[in-house]
Amino acid sequence: MSTIKDVSRLTGLSISTISKYINGGNVRAENRSKLDEAIRALDFKVNPAARSLKTNRTMTVGILLPALDVSFFAQIVGDVEARLFKEGYNAYICSYDHDPVQELRKLSFLLEQQVDGVLLVAEHVSADQLMALPALRDGRTPLVLFDRRVEGMAADLVLVDSKEICRFAAEQLLLKGHRRIGLIMGPSDISTAWERMTGYRQAFEARGLPIDETLIRQGDYSTGAGYQLLGELMDLPMPPTAVFTTNHETTLGAITAAFERKLRIPEDLSFIGYDDTQLTQIISPPISIVLQPAGLLAAEAASLLIRRMRGDREGFPHTAMLEARLLMHPSVATV
Amino acid sequence: MSTIKDVSRLTGLSISTISKYINGGNVRAENRSKLDEAIRALDFKVNPAARSLKTNRTMTVGILLPALDVSFFAQIVGDVEARLFKEGYNAYICSYDHDPVQELRKLSFLLEQQVDGVLLVAEHVSADQLMALPALRDGRTPLVLFDRRVEGMAADLVLVDSKEICRFAAEQLLLKGHRRIGLIMGPSDISTAWERMTGYRQAFEARGLPIDETLIRQGDYSTGAGYQLLGELMDLPMPPTAVFTTNHETTLGAITAAFERKLRIPEDLSFIGYDDTQLTQIISPPISIVLQPAGLLAAEAASLLIRRMRGDREGFPHTAMLEARLLMHPSVATV
DNA sequence: TTGTAAGCGTTATCAT
DNA sequence: ATGATAACGCTTACAA
């Protein structure tokens, strides 16, 4: 690797002049061309370690997720990474594999690595645990919580209004005359799962309708769970006339189970799923889905984090609450 | 952030002694406890930039993928990241979003970041382009190619023997009497897609059986493509009696399409899919699948890369060719 | 076992 | 506009 010193030798200019030029400073036109040529010839690249040592900025961010193979996160994280990259940031993308210990350990490790900022999809970590980390407590390293809250934590937040869209979705089913509506939800200690269930409940409560608790099934948000729980619902003595699945994987599993059972949608079962999938659009009939604004979420998370890393503390703690949409398709019948 | 200097002030020991201790050197028992306490009290952490500057090692690796939301890669990358992390390496995980320009740009960028090694799932990049990168050409930065070859590139390789397992899978279908076997393959410029197709062909050729080219359908490896192409196959005047899908997403789409069309598996259509999915195991009947050894692949890739990063050049270029398995389930009938 | 001192490649201050 | 020089926090001969 060549260094500024090499460029200096080749051009006769001083190291400090060259450094300034590299960082956007001005040099005489003739020197500029000399430098450009030397830099190209030597394939000179700034040594990021040396730069970090001086500037105290690494131009890296940590993105910490419960898992990489959850499609919603996989989709978002690629987008966030691209946006950060465009601004010169490199992303350490880590999974803690739903493990509470790893969650905290990897977060600490990222902070030790001196990342300039962290985007976290939290699962088990508490506000106390977060505030015990010096870099976070002192606000030295900006943290943006993504998709899920951490109770009692004053932090920037990028969320989807899950409760409202789920209330709305359940309401649509009620309006179509459905009363027995199956809900396939996720682990209730995940804030979004809880909110989605709450929205569902609110739709019933707003109309003074009773909720049959046997129709609310909790799984682990996996495809297998979706498949399994749809089966359980349909095997009830009084099966639901509609079902609402609350994430992508679960939706896929439930659709498969419904098709396998030769249930006609919507004649035998009305269906509202969650998150876009190429599949829900093209199967027949197209499945109504709750569509989370993945692109906007990624953009919001990236730009908020970048703002903070640039030192702009305005409006902290900021909550960006984005709206999801319900795409209604013929998968819902009137009863 | 506290530095060694702070620890030095607090303990009275010299900076170099402390550095040595941090890096596994010996100090007198009494000093050891003094140090441990001071380090804890100050929450001292080594500054990685400073360390890198001296050691020329960043303890980071780059993992560059065509996309993060392809389940096979998502699964593997999490695993590889975990293994590298355990050895003290941090991973920059990047997607180039199937874009040839990004593919090369991000690779260059990772190398500029002075990563100690790179794991690459290549798509468009050529051996020439790779060898044009100084860090790779000089062997300064070890590169491991994962899952896909780059023609003419002398590099460490971690692959699955796709051709053989696909030949074997097609052979099983032939042995059961199938002659019209649909193949849903991926883009033919991806080496694995080509190999999977070649295996399929070899099974026919080995028996001197003709291949109906209309039964070979090429898609983009997406769920939507799987759905779409299965439909096309079944809409043929003479539809196949069996279908072989060659990646996870495609399998999911094709199963959905089959179920939607109320095709009975295996009575109406025999089915062999690809890659493990919770779903293929539990639907009825369970779907026969080609199972790639994801865990082994991740382990092999990580350990090979680590060996290289530690300076062990033995057996370069090494090709690790792992075997996939065919899990036969009742989704295949005898005709 | 411990300490001294040089230097990794850059940025930043202060002259010129 | 350019250059000399002192850090940044660490590792590593080399000396003690």
Side-chain angles (χ1 to χ4, degrees):
Chain A
M1 285 266 69
S2 54
T3 69
I4 292 195
K5 221 172 192 169
D6 299 321
V7 180
S8 170
R9 265 195 284 272
L10 202 63
T11 57
L13 290 166
S14 83
I15 289 184
S16 62
T17 302
I18 300 172
S19 170
K20 239 165 285 169
Y21 176 59
I22 292 168
N23 292 290
N26 258 339
V27 294
R28 287 211 300 269
E30 63 173 285
N31 287 335
R32 161 176 322 226
S33 40
K34 257 203 272 185
L35 280 173
D36 287 340
E37 195 191 315
I39 287 174
R40 212 179 26 72
L42 293 168
D43 191 39
F44 166 77
K45 298 284 160 50
V46 172
N47 180 321
R51 175 176 276 174
S52 293
L53 186 57
K54 276 305 279 187
T55 61
N56 271 318
R57 317 182 62 220
T58 57
M59 297 306 282
T60 64
V61 310
I63 302 183
L64 189 52
L65 308 166
L68 291 172
D69 58 357
V70 172
S71 66
F72 178 63
F73 296 137
Q75 193 184 347
I76 300 260
V77 77
D79 218 352
V80 172
E81 189 258 329
R83 285 167 198 277
L84 290 169
F85 186 82
K86 220 172 283 170
E87 301 291 328
Y89 290 94
N90 240 251
Y92 290 115
I93 299 176
C94 306
S95 154
Y96 52 85
D97 205 17
H98 301 287
D99 175 350
V101 179
Q102 291 263 319
E103 182 174 355
L104 198 56
R105 272 200 58 221
K106 289 212 170 180
L107 178 57
S108 309
F109 194 73
L110 286 171
L111 294 170
E112 280 175 36
Q113 291 302 303
Q114 318 265 53
V115 292
D116 291 342
V118 173
L119 186 69
L120 172 66
V121 177
E123 202 155 283
H124 317 282
V125 82
S126 69
D128 284 350
Q129 290 174 310
L130 291 178
M131 292 312 277
L133 299 168
L136 296 184
R137 185 185 46 234
D138 311 346
R140 217 182 323 134
T141 309
L143 168 75
V144 171
L145 294 179
F146 186 81
D147 188 55
R148 304 175 186 174
R149 307 168 182 279
V150 170
E151 204 178 304
M153 183 69 191
D156 289 314
L157 240 39
V158 176
L159 302 174
V160 176
D161 192 345
S162 295
K163 200 188 292 177
E164 169 52 22
I165 193 65
C166 288
R167 189 202 58 72
F168 183 72
E171 182 179 60
Q172 299 313 302
L173 292 169
L174 292 174
L175 284 170
K176 300 258 191 175
H178 294 277
R179 289 300 176 267
R180 300 190 59 71
I181 303 173
L183 179 74
I184 297 183
M185 63 177 289
S188 58
D189 56 340
I190 295 179
S191 68
T192 53
W194 186 86
E195 285 168 16
R196 288 167 200 182
M197 177 192 66
T198 302
Y200 166 96
R201 289 184 184 280
Q202 286 178 346
F204 283 81
E205 286 159 6
R207 303 182 120 63
L209 294 168
I211 294 172
D212 181 346
E213 298 293 336
T214 62
L215 295 182
I216 299 182
R217 300 277 161 163
Q218 182 175 326
D220 64 0
Y221 264 158
S222 70
T223 311
Y227 175 90
Q228 168 76 24
L229 296 177
L230 186 101
E232 289 180 20
L233 285 171
M234 300 315 289
D235 287 340
L236 286 174
M238 278 185 59
T241 60
V243 67
F244 181 25
T245 55
T246 53
N247 83 333
H248 177 111
E249 279 74 10
T250 286
T251 301
L252 225 47
I255 289 175
T256 310
F259 278 165
E260 182 191 309
R261 287 167 173 253
K262 310 227 189 306
L263 294 171
R264 289 165 307 159
I265 296 176
E267 292 81 357
D268 303 327
L269 180 67
S270 289
F271 200 116
I272 298 184
Y274 221 91
D275 287 340
D276 190 21
T277 115
Q278 304 150 335
L279 219 49
T280 50
Q281 316 264 16
I282 51 179
I283 60 180
S284 137
I287 301 293
S288 304
I289 52 167
V290 168
L291 188 57
Q292 301 192 89
L296 287 180
L297 284 164
E300 185 64 32
S303 74
L304 180 54
L305 188 56
I306 288 169
R307 264 181 46 212
R308 295 304 189 215
M309 292 191 293
R310 290 187 177 151
D312 174 2
R313 298 207 172 285
E314 191 186 310
F316 178 89
H318 176 69
T319 297
M321 171 84 89
L322 306 196
E323 311 264 301
R325 289 187 306 145
L326 177 64
L327 297 189
M328 275 305 246
H329 286 143
S331 68
V332 177
T334 304
V335 291
Chain B
M1 285 266 68
S2 54
T3 70
I4 293 194
K5 220 174 193 167
D6 300 320
V7 180
S8 170
R9 266 195 283 272
L10 202 62
T11 57
L13 290 166
S14 84
I15 290 184
S16 68
T17 302
I18 300 172
S19 169
K20 242 166 280 170
Y21 176 59
I22 292 169
N23 293 290
N26 258 340
V27 295
R28 286 210 299 270
E30 63 173 285
N31 287 334
R32 160 174 325 224
S33 40
K34 256 201 276 185
L35 279 173
D36 286 340
E37 195 191 315
I39 287 174
R40 214 179 25 72
L42 294 168
D43 190 41
F44 166 77
K45 298 284 158 51
V46 173
N47 180 321
R51 176 177 275 174
S52 293
L53 187 56
K54 276 305 280 188
T55 60
N56 270 319
R57 317 182 63 219
T58 57
M59 297 306 282
T60 64
V61 309
I63 301 182
L64 189 52
L65 308 166
L68 292 173
D69 57 358
V70 172
S71 67
F72 178 63
F73 296 136
Q75 192 185 346
I76 300 258
V77 77
D79 217 353
V80 172
E81 189 258 328
R83 285 167 196 276
L84 290 170
F85 186 82
K86 219 173 286 171
E87 300 292 327
Y89 290 94
N90 240 250
Y92 290 116
I93 299 176
C94 307
S95 154
Y96 53 84
D97 204 18
H98 302 286
D99 176 352
V101 179
Q102 291 263 318
E103 182 173 355
L104 197 57
R105 272 200 58 222
K106 290 214 169 178
L107 179 56
S108 309
F109 194 72
L110 285 171
L111 294 170
E112 280 175 37
Q113 292 301 302
Q114 317 266 53
V115 292
D116 290 343
V118 172
L119 186 69
L120 172 66
V121 177
E123 201 155 283
H124 317 281
V125 83
S126 69
D128 285 351
Q129 289 174 310
L130 291 178
M131 292 312 276
L133 299 169
L136 296 183
R137 185 185 45 233
D138 310 347
R140 216 183 321 135
T141 309
L143 167 75
V144 172
L145 294 178
F146 186 82
D147 187 56
R148 303 176 185 173
R149 307 167 182 278
V150 171
E151 204 177 304
M153 182 70 192
D156 289 313
L157 242 36
V158 176
L159 302 174
V160 176
D161 193 344
S162 295
K163 200 188 292 178
E164 169 53 21
I165 193 65
C166 289
R167 188 202 59 72
F168 182 72
E171 183 179 61
Q172 299 313 302
L173 292 170
L174 291 173
L175 285 171
K176 300 261 190 175
H178 294 277
R179 289 299 175 269
R180 298 190 60 71
I181 303 173
L183 178 75
I184 298 185
M185 63 177 288
S188 57
D189 55 340
I190 295 180
S191 69
T192 53
W194 186 86
E195 285 168 16
R196 289 168 200 182
M197 176 192 66
T198 303
Y200 166 97
R201 289 182 183 281
Q202 285 177 347
F204 283 80
E205 286 159 5
R207 303 182 120 63
L209 293 169
I211 293 171
D212 181 347
E213 298 292 336
T214 62
L215 295 182
I216 299 181
R217 300 277 161 163
Q218 182 175 325
D220 63 1
Y221 265 157
S222 70
T223 311
Y227 175 91
Q228 168 77 22
L229 296 177
L230 186 100
E232 289 180 20
L233 285 171
M234 299 314 289
D235 286 340
L236 286 174
M238 279 185 59
T241 61
V243 68
F244 181 24
T245 56
T246 53
N247 83 333
H248 177 111
E249 280 73 11
T250 286
T251 301
L252 224 49
I255 288 176
T256 309
F259 278 164
E260 182 191 308
R261 285 167 175 253
K262 310 225 188 308
L263 294 171
R264 290 165 306 161
I265 296 176
E267 294 81 357
D268 302 327
L269 181 67
S270 290
F271 201 117
I272 298 184
Y274 222 91
D275 288 340
D276 190 20
T277 118
Q278 304 150 333
L279 218 50
T280 50
Q281 316 265 15
I282 51 179
I283 59 179
S284 137
I287 301 293
S288 305
I289 53 167
V290 169
L291 189 57
Q292 301 192 90
L296 286 180
L297 285 164
E300 185 64 32
S303 75
L304 181 54
L305 188 55
I306 288 169
R307 265 180 46 211
R308 294 305 188 215
M309 291 192 294
R310 290 187 176 150
D312 174 2
R313 297 206 172 286
E314 190 186 312
F316 177 89
H318 176 70
T319 297
M321 172 83 89
L322 306 196
E323 310 264 302
R325 290 187 305 144
L326 177 63
L327 297 189
M328 274 307 246
H329 285 142
S331 68
V332 177
T334 304
V335 291

